[in-house]
Amino acid sequence: MADSNQTERVGVNAVESIFLKMGWIFREQTISDHGIDAHVEPKDDGVPSGQLIALQIKTGESYFRKRGDNYVFYGERIHLEYWRRHILPVFIILHNPTTDQTVWQRVDPEHVKEHGGGRWSLEIPADQVLNITAGDFLRQGISSDARSARRVRMLLDLPLMREVLKKQEEDAVFLVVDEWVNKTLNFRNSTLLYGDPRGEPVLVFDAWVPYSDLGNFMNESFPWMGFEYVEPIDDGSIEVEGHILEVKVNSLGRAFLEVEDYLENGSVPVEVDRWYESSSESYAEDDRD
């Protein structure tokens, strides 16, 4: 198991490095893994575009099996069904740690081949290499309108919203934000912590984004978080101003969670005070009048 985890980490690190060289934002999924290992977002002139795709990353020589000129990926039915319902385009990324080769393919119906017994496969061209020139192909078909981007961001944060809401009932939740005051991409390396704002981070958000002030950063990056300023971090540097915020799921986040719970589970039974049943005789008398 340790060797397997180490191999997976090599692949994730390699893929992250490629996307960073492409100028994209790479967000590894650490809260909930249903066959999605990371989300990536391209930037336009250094600014996050709001366009997102989801990645499933597989690492190892065993994944590089060929059918003719193409590699063939064999997947699990549960993941395929999930990816088909996913709000984001999903891409399979294969990384060979021996040759350092990395290839990609989008999970589309036209690329998926169904087999008996619930099995399926996906062909990945050997020349479909993940590198700096692949960005334009990856962006094809991604929705970029503001409404869709906001909805996607909220949906992607859904597992984190649920975790923070549960955790805030037991302990304080903190977000530590670094502001590089002399940089264009000034807000960087936010960390989420429980209980102690100087303790071990639970999550690290490594997006670099430009905003005029802390309020705008929070409204755009974490619209579902309410926050109170705790204290600045005195690190002795005029280059970096740290902010410690105590955060909670706000009214927008709670409303979003209620809607999603309804969509997932259906309506919740409501207790009705059927007072008229206890006074049926009087009602019957009124009906006769």
Side-chain angles (χ1 to χ4, degrees):
M1 181 62 70
D3 290 343
S4 175
N5 291 338
Q6 184 176 2
T7 299
E8 292 173 3
R9 173 48 49 193
V10 168
V12 171
N13 290 346
V15 172
E16 178 181 18
S17 177
I18 294 171
F19 276 103
L20 292 179
K21 290 177 182 177
M22 291 165 57
W24 289 41
I25 298 168
F26 183 95
R27 301 183 182 94
E28 187 176 353
Q29 286 298 99
T30 56
I31 290 294
S32 178
D33 179 14
H34 297 287
I36 300 297
D37 296 312
H39 301 116
V40 290
E41 177 182 3
K43 291 187 282 189
D44 294 324
D45 297 324
V47 179
S49 65
Q51 299 175 316
L52 298 164
I53 64 175
L55 308 180
Q56 163 84 140
I57 302 169
K58 292 296 184 181
T59 306
E61 290 185 84
S62 62
Y63 290 106
F64 285 76
R65 295 167 288 191
K66 278 195 171 184
R67 179 188 296 154
D69 295 329
N70 299 333
Y71 298 113
V72 184
F73 173 79
Y74 294 92
E76 298 180 30
R77 171 61 55 178
I78 188 173
H79 288 161
L80 179 61
E81 296 301 326
Y82 176 68
W83 295 336
R84 284 173 168 169
R85 298 191 305 269
H86 207 285
I87 193 171
L88 296 179
V90 178
F91 288 76
I92 298 290
I93 309 292
L94 303 183
H95 177 73
N96 189 331
T98 302
T99 64
D100 206 31
Q101 183 182 15
T102 309
V103 295
W104 62 271
Q105 180 63 287
R106 181 168 175 170
V107 182
D108 275 342
E110 63 186 272
H111 300 140
V112 173
K113 183 175 181 180
E114 302 278 355
H115 303 283
R119 298 176 65 248
W120 63 275
S121 63
L122 180 77
E123 291 200 17
I124 304 178
D127 60 356
Q128 207 155 271
V129 178
L130 184 66
N131 55 30
I132 197 169
T133 65
D136 290 341
F137 295 99
L138 297 174
R139 294 182 70 157
Q140 290 179 5
I142 305 177
S143 176
S144 60
D145 65 279
R147 181 177 179 179
S148 296
R150 286 193 292 267
R151 175 171 170 74
V152 166
R153 289 301 310 156
M154 291 288 282
L155 284 171
L156 294 180
D157 281 351
L158 187 61
L160 182 57
M161 283 188 227
R162 287 172 172 159
E163 180 172 309
V164 170
L165 183 63
K166 181 179 180 180
K167 194 65 180 180
Q168 72 186 36
E169 303 299 328
E170 308 167 358
D171 209 344
V173 181
F174 297 97
L175 187 72
V176 178
V177 182
D178 287 347
E179 181 181 2
W180 292 64
V181 295
N182 296 321
K183 302 293 185 180
T184 301
L185 300 176
N186 52 329
F187 285 96
R188 309 178 178 186
N189 302 327
S190 305
T191 55
L192 188 73
L193 308 98
Y194 297 149
D196 181 0
R198 290 181 171 80
E200 188 69 24
V202 178
L203 280 177
V204 177
F205 309 94
D206 60 357
W208 293 14
V209 291
Y211 288 107
S212 58
D213 55 46
L214 180 66
N216 285 333
F217 166 76
M218 291 297 295
N219 287 338
E220 293 297 325
S221 301
F222 302 100
W224 52 272
M225 277 188 183
F227 65 94
E228 293 184 2
Y229 209 102
V230 178
E231 60 178 293
I233 300 173
D234 183 12
D235 60 2
S237 170
I238 61 172
E239 181 72 12
V240 183
E241 181 178 357
H243 307 279
I244 298 180
L245 311 174
E246 183 172 355
V247 298
K248 293 184 176 182
V249 178
N250 60 20
S251 58
L252 172 64
R254 288 175 179 269
F256 189 83
L257 286 171
E258 288 187 13
V259 170
E260 286 303 311
D261 286 343
Y262 166 73
L263 294 176
E264 291 178 10
N265 305 312
S267 59
V268 178
V270 178
E271 290 293 332
V272 178
D273 183 12
R274 302 184 67 177
W275 52 268
Y276 56 85
E277 289 186 348
S278 62
S279 56
S280 57
E281 292 183 2
S282 62
Y283 256 84
E285 292 175 358
D286 291 341
D287 290 342
R288 289 195 296 270
D289 291 341

